[in-house]
Amino acid sequence: MSLSFANSIAVQGRARTLVPLCVGAGAYLFFLFVGDTLLQDSDSFWQIKIGQWVIDHQALPYTDFYSFTRPGAPWLSTSWLSQVAFALSHTQWGWAGPVILTALGVALSAAILVRLLDAHLEMPRSVLFAMLAIVLSLHHILARPHMLALPVMIAWVGMLMAAADRRGTPSWYWLPLMSLWASLHGGFVLGLALIGPMSFVALWGLESGKQVRLLLRWFLFGVAALAASCLTPYGWRTLLGATNILNLGELLTVISEWSPANFASFTAFEGALLGLIAIGLYRGLTLSPPRILLILLLTWMALSHVRSIEAFAFLVPLVLAKPLGEKSPLRQADTQTGESWPARYVTAIGALMIMAAGWTSTSIYMSHHRFTFTMDQTPVAATDLLEKRGAKRIFNSYKFGGYLIARDIPVFVDGRAELYGEKFVMDFFKATEGQKPALLPALLDEHKIDATLLVADSPGPQILDHLKGWKRIYTDKIAVVHVRDDADSAAAAPK
């Protein structure tokens, strides 16, 4: 090999190493610039509040202490590490802190995906897949724990897929990644569930004798991964807390992020499905049954719950990377030599420069921009009024629960649906959305409610306007407040 050719390969190697960092830096700066759009879910309030509680008490919660309808009920915070990170960042930088953490989560996810895809695909296609994954996930990129767990999920599944592609078993050195994931977010159960299908990708086509030995090694790795997921302060309860959300039945169709995909109008997800079919037809891809099973599983998850679209977007490319790469071979030069020590040195300097530029841009932007939470999740004036009146038991809308928790006001309900259970939350929605109006007065009386705080454009306030014993005292574009009408209550009371 000539010296000039070797130098050319080294330059290409440095460029390919820095491209994932550049993609991550671009994603970070973009989401920093649109950071206010990440602050649209009131769950962020109670996530930060719980994180601060963990910091203050140096312990993890085992029961509920934020509602007056479930006080003392068993409840575990399966995202405690993410909540602590969000609380620390919020204390240090205000709402800019959670925005920065979320943007970093997206940046790491994009960079890791590009790096993993680069093993099989040309760099332009790797970058394109990463950009498409971000576009598909835009609806769920919010300042919440799942964004800090996203890069861990991609790294874990990428590690499993790489082991399956080489017909081997994953290294046990990666097991701490599962422990980290289990502390960041309850979605770690997906990482455990994918071990089985991934093992069959590795087994497919091997001789029967080799299959048995390889299957045994994958089984042992799966057991070790299960044990690693319990290496958190909650121990085995981590698994219990993570699976409770799956037992909510009908309620999962009511909560927006758990609802099934809707194709009433054309969406990016619909375009991705059509594009996936087109790629298969155009490239003439022939996939092994285990790979087909993986793609069908991820597609079914995305169709069942829109929050799973991000898993589909980031993980399907990992499953397709090797078959696509075999249809378009990599440049031979990339596999003929590795990076020399000077090349690695230059790469490290480039990475430091990218990080320094990112932090400088962050500091400059933060100096003249104040991040604020979306107003329709924060009924500030209505809550101020209720505090002045001394309201103790407030019947609040589901999306206002997080904000009330942040203000240390006991809530009727909030985003922790697994705490309240299917029947309780379904009765709440049916009562306030007008499906069963008769339920509303029953709930108000059963829980001794003295005031309501409901979304302005929901049916609940209109029902209360015609309900004897209640009167409207405040209205704005965000919320409506009703309180008990003492005169009507006294007249209705038995002598």
Side-chain angles (χ1 to χ4, degrees):
M1 183 183 297
S2 67
L3 182 60
S4 60
F5 184 61
N7 290 336
S8 174
I9 292 175
V11 170
Q12 291 177 9
R14 291 196 296 272
R16 294 173 73 85
T17 303
L18 288 175
V19 166
L21 293 175
C22 292
V23 170
Y28 169 78
L29 292 175
F30 173 79
F31 283 101
L32 180 70
F33 181 72
V34 299
D36 291 328
T37 65
L38 308 180
L39 304 174
Q40 300 185 63
D41 193 320
S42 67
D43 280 2
S44 299
F45 285 104
W46 65 259
Q47 303 279 7
I48 291 172
K49 192 71 175 180
I50 290 173
Q52 191 58 54
W53 186 92
V54 173
I55 295 170
D56 294 340
H57 294 80
Q58 297 294 299
L60 297 185
Y62 282 84
T63 59
D64 171 55
F65 38 75
Y66 287 125
S67 76
F68 62 84
T69 51
R70 291 289 189 274
W75 181 76
L76 308 178
S77 178
T78 54
S79 302
W80 66 271
L81 187 56
S82 295
Q83 291 159 351
V84 167
F86 276 125
L88 290 172
S89 66
H90 186 264
T91 301
Q92 183 68 30
W93 298 300
W95 283 114
V99 167
I100 291 172
L101 282 184
T102 305
L104 283 173
V106 181
L108 282 173
S109 300
I112 293 171
L113 181 62
V114 171
R115 183 66 175 173
L116 291 171
L117 294 178
D118 182 45
H120 300 287
L121 301 176
E122 300 91 339
M123 188 58 73
R125 281 204 290 175
S126 300
V127 174
L128 177 61
F129 272 123
M131 295 300 98
L132 289 175
I134 291 176
V135 170
L136 285 176
S137 306
L138 283 176
H139 69 287
H140 205 218
I141 297 180
L142 302 164
R144 285 174 43 193
H146 66 278
M147 292 312 303
L148 302 190
L150 183 59
V152 180
M153 176 188 75
I154 297 168
W156 175 264
V157 176
M159 175 270 300
L160 294 180
M161 197 73 248
D165 286 339
R166 66 174 183 267
R167 303 298 180 91
T169 51
S171 170
W172 286 38
Y173 289 112
W174 288 100
L175 290 176
L177 204 61
M178 175 53 68
S179 300
L180 174 62
W181 191 358
S183 296
L184 289 170
H185 190 255
F188 72 91
V189 293
L190 173 62
L192 295 175
L194 289 178
I195 293 175
M198 290 289 187
S199 69
F200 287 111
V201 174
L203 295 172
W204 189 260
L206 288 179
E207 299 174 2
S208 58
K210 293 181 179 179
Q211 283 182 338
V212 173
R213 292 192 295 272
L214 188 58
L215 180 59
L216 178 60
R217 292 200 296 270
W218 273 88
F219 174 77
L220 293 175
F221 178 83
V223 173
L226 182 65
S229 71
C230 297
L231 293 180
T232 74
Y234 281 125
W236 64 269
R237 296 183 182 88
T238 303
L239 289 168
L240 180 64
T243 55
N244 280 342
I245 190 71
L246 303 177
N247 299 322
L248 294 179
E250 182 186 4
L251 180 56
L252 294 181
T253 64
V254 177
I255 302 174
S256 58
E257 65 179 329
W258 285 97
S259 60
N262 184 358
F263 294 142
S265 59
F266 189 80
T267 63
F269 177 50
E270 186 175 356
L273 288 178
L274 295 176
L276 185 62
I277 295 172
I279 289 175
L281 294 175
Y282 179 74
R283 288 289 185 181
L285 286 177
T286 302
L287 304 181
S288 65
R291 286 185 193 271
I292 295 174
L293 174 63
L294 275 170
I295 293 175
L296 291 178
L297 174 62
L298 293 169
T299 304
W300 171 78
M301 288 173 52
L303 290 172
S304 301
H305 308 297
V306 293
R307 67 173 294 154
S308 297
I309 290 177
E310 68 201 45
F312 169 90
F314 281 95
L315 301 186
V316 166
L318 295 176
V319 180
L320 288 176
K322 185 178 180 182
L324 284 174
E326 290 171 346
K327 289 289 183 179
S328 179
L330 289 172
R331 289 166 293 187
Q332 295 300 316
D334 293 336
T335 61
Q336 290 177 3
T337 184
E339 286 190 64
S340 62
W341 183 87
R344 295 193 187 99
Y345 182 79
V346 172
T347 299
I349 294 296
L352 290 175
M353 291 177 65
I354 291 173
M355 289 188 287
W359 180 246
T360 302
S361 302
T362 301
S363 302
I364 294 173
Y365 189 63
M366 287 172 57
S367 66
H368 69 270
H369 180 81
R370 181 180 178 83
F371 294 98
T372 56
F373 211 92
T374 181
M375 292 301 294
D376 66 355
Q377 304 277 346
T378 55
V380 180
T383 306
D384 289 343
L385 175 63
L386 288 171
E387 282 193 319
K388 289 180 182 178
R389 291 181 62 91
K392 300 298 183 184
R393 301 175 73 86
I394 302 172
F395 185 84
N396 61 278
S397 284
Y398 189 82
K399 75 175 187 177
F400 291 159
Y403 177 72
L404 294 181
I405 288 176
R407 294 188 56 164
D408 295 315
I409 298 175
V411 296
F412 181 88
V413 69
D414 61 86
R416 299 170 297 162
E418 71 279 9
L419 166 66
Y420 300 97
E422 178 185 4
K423 183 180 185 306
F424 181 90
V425 184
M426 283 305 303
D427 285 348
F428 169 82
F429 278 123
K430 290 175 181 178
T432 56
E433 297 300 324
Q435 298 177 24
K436 290 186 177 181
L439 272 177
L440 185 54
L443 289 175
L444 298 177
D445 291 340
E446 177 186 352
H447 296 282
K448 299 180 175 59
I449 302 300
D450 52 29
T452 68
L453 177 66
L454 300 177
V455 176
D457 59 357
S458 67
Q462 282 68 44
I463 298 173
L464 281 165
D465 286 339
H466 299 88
L467 194 61
K468 187 174 182 181
W470 290 87
K471 63 180 179 181
R472 181 186 294 223
I473 64 169
Y474 179 82
T475 305
D476 60 23
K477 295 181 179 180
I478 301 173
V480 176
V481 174
H482 283 79
V483 297
R484 289 191 182 274
D485 188 333
D486 294 335
D488 287 345
S489 298
K495 296 181 180 179

